[in-house]
Amino acid sequence: MVTEAEGGQIAIQGVSRTFGDGGAEVVALSRVELDVRPGEFVSLIGPSGCGKSTLLRLVAGLDRPTAGELRLDGEPIEGPHYSRGLVFQDPTLFPWKTIWSNVATGLEARGVLKERRGDVDKIIELVGLRDFERAYPHQLSGGMAQRAALARALVNHPKVLLLDEPLGALDAFTRMNLQDELLRIWQERGTTMIFVTHDIDEAVYLSDRVVIMTPRPARIKEIVTVDLPRPRVRNGAGFFEYRSRILESLQLVPETAQPEYIV
Ligand SMILES: Nc1ncnc2c1ncn2[C@@H]1O[C@H](COP(=O)(O)OP(=O)(O)OP(=O)(O)O)[C@@H](O)[C@H]1O
Ligand SMILES: [Mg+2]
């Protein structure tokens, strides 16, 4: 569900990021151009160390580009803001706070918790943690902790959710389950999603578009629009076609190889 009225358009224009001063310089990103539509689900995929997290940190406003510009709904991104939520692979919850208090952190920091307590309850319900709001992080499974981290970002009603391999540490079953949860939340809230993953199936299952990046310095190699109806079928023929196209683009299979499932 695209809710353009609420915004969430990201423009990444000629963005480069170089690390190091003088000595050994690392060019992490080189002239990256990408427009993400309001409410779109975009995945970034590419070799380790190519600059995906760097790009996400720039959109989050946690880092500044060496060259180029990043904008949210036309406004330059100049620092972190609750309208751009970030979820990492490691849920990084505060161990001394209950799940409810962890989720409430952002509202508390903004001084709006008193009038928005109901939002915390609603979001905890949305991610399926209602029975665990008084639990502490060490009492949760990995999947539940990641739900809590998602809730902590969502409670701020971000226009954009930036997800850096958020499901990477989970077992396959929990992971698929949370992919479905994420899609449900996305469809309900219309939040723009930028999702970093190493998992090609995950990218095809979730995304409107998959952005394939080159090894460092990262540039955009190809953007694949996943034109499959939702809900998607993980073992459908169309799904496998996209999967092999992305594998080829990442040069993980020879381009001439015929997939075995085509007879
Ligand atoms: N703060 C920093 N200082 C110096 N170099 C950095 C910094 N952050 C990232 N880099 C370098 O930039 C490059 C890209 O790193 P980044 O973390 O963005 O890669 P990535 O695509 O997210 O990799 P992975 O898939 O392994 O998470 C790497 O060579 C990394 O060493
Ligand atoms: Mg990374």
Side-chain angles (χ1 to χ4, degrees):
M1 187 197 303
V2 178
T3 50
E4 294 209 28
E6 289 168 24
Q9 191 244 349
I10 292 284
I12 299 168
Q13 296 163 330
V15 163
S16 301
R17 179 66 170 105
T18 303
F19 292 106
D21 44 351
E25 284 203 335
V26 174
V27 182
L29 298 170
S30 174
R31 280 172 282 152
V32 174
E33 300 274 343
L34 180 66
D35 268 324
V36 181
R37 293 188 299 273
E40 193 178 14
F41 202 124
V42 167
S43 287
L44 304 179
I45 200 161
S48 179
C50 80
K52 303 178 295 293
S53 297
T54 303
L55 186 56
L56 226 55
R57 286 173 55 80
L58 290 171
V59 179
L62 295 172
D63 188 17
R64 303 300 301 272
T66 315
E69 274 195 331
L70 297 105
R71 291 172 182 274
L72 168 62
D73 296 328
E75 296 293 322
I77 294 173
E78 287 173 339
H81 192 263
Y82 61 84
S83 60
R84 286 170 271 116
L86 195 52
V87 180
F88 301 97
Q89 178 169 358
D90 175 356
T92 60
L93 299 169
F94 299 116
W96 63 89
K97 287 187 174 186
T98 63
I99 297 313
W100 197 95
S101 299
N102 262 285
V103 173
T105 302
L107 299 181
E108 197 178 8
R110 284 162 52 204
V112 295
L113 180 58
K114 210 170 161 198
E115 57 270 36
R116 302 265 303 269
R117 294 182 72 86
D119 281 13
V120 181
D121 300 333
K122 248 187 257 165
I123 293 291
I124 287 178
E125 173 96 45
L126 183 72
V127 300
L129 284 180
R130 198 167 152 209
D131 295 337
F132 294 88
E133 55 190 20
R134 281 193 223 150
Y136 286 87
H138 75 273
Q139 295 171 308
L140 301 188
S141 70
M144 287 155 77
Q146 204 49 285
R147 283 169 196 265
L150 197 59
R152 190 177 49 183
L154 284 169
V155 80
N156 291 307
H157 288 271
K159 291 181 174 185
V160 182
L161 201 53
L162 307 162
L163 304 122
D164 197 350
E165 301 189 56
L167 314 181
L170 306 175
D171 67 274
F173 187 78
T174 308
R175 187 170 185 150
M176 284 193 250
N177 207 280
L178 268 179
Q179 287 167 0
D180 286 325
E181 291 285 306
L182 196 60
L183 285 176
R184 183 177 59 79
I185 291 165
W186 170 62
Q187 281 163 342
E188 204 171 304
R189 307 278 298 253
T191 314
T192 306
M193 302 281 199
I194 307 184
F195 187 95
V196 171
T197 181
H198 281 112
D199 185 324
I200 295 165
D201 283 4
E202 182 166 85
V204 175
Y205 189 66
L206 297 175
S207 316
D208 293 322
R209 288 190 296 159
V210 180
V211 176
I212 300 165
M213 307 190 67
T214 63
R216 207 178 57 238
R219 305 189 68 154
I220 292 174
K221 182 174 189 198
E222 191 183 350
I223 300 182
V224 175
T225 301
V226 184
D227 195 9
L228 291 172
R230 298 178 188 270
R232 291 180 178 160
V233 183
R234 293 179 194 271
N235 59 355
F239 197 97
F240 284 121
E241 270 170 43
Y242 280 106
R243 181 181 205 263
S244 56
R245 207 169 127 193
I246 294 167
L247 279 167
E248 277 170 20
S249 186
L250 287 164
Q251 295 177 318
L252 296 173
V253 290
E255 284 195 27
T256 48
Q258 286 300 311
E260 284 169 16
Y261 48 84
I262 296 178
V263 282

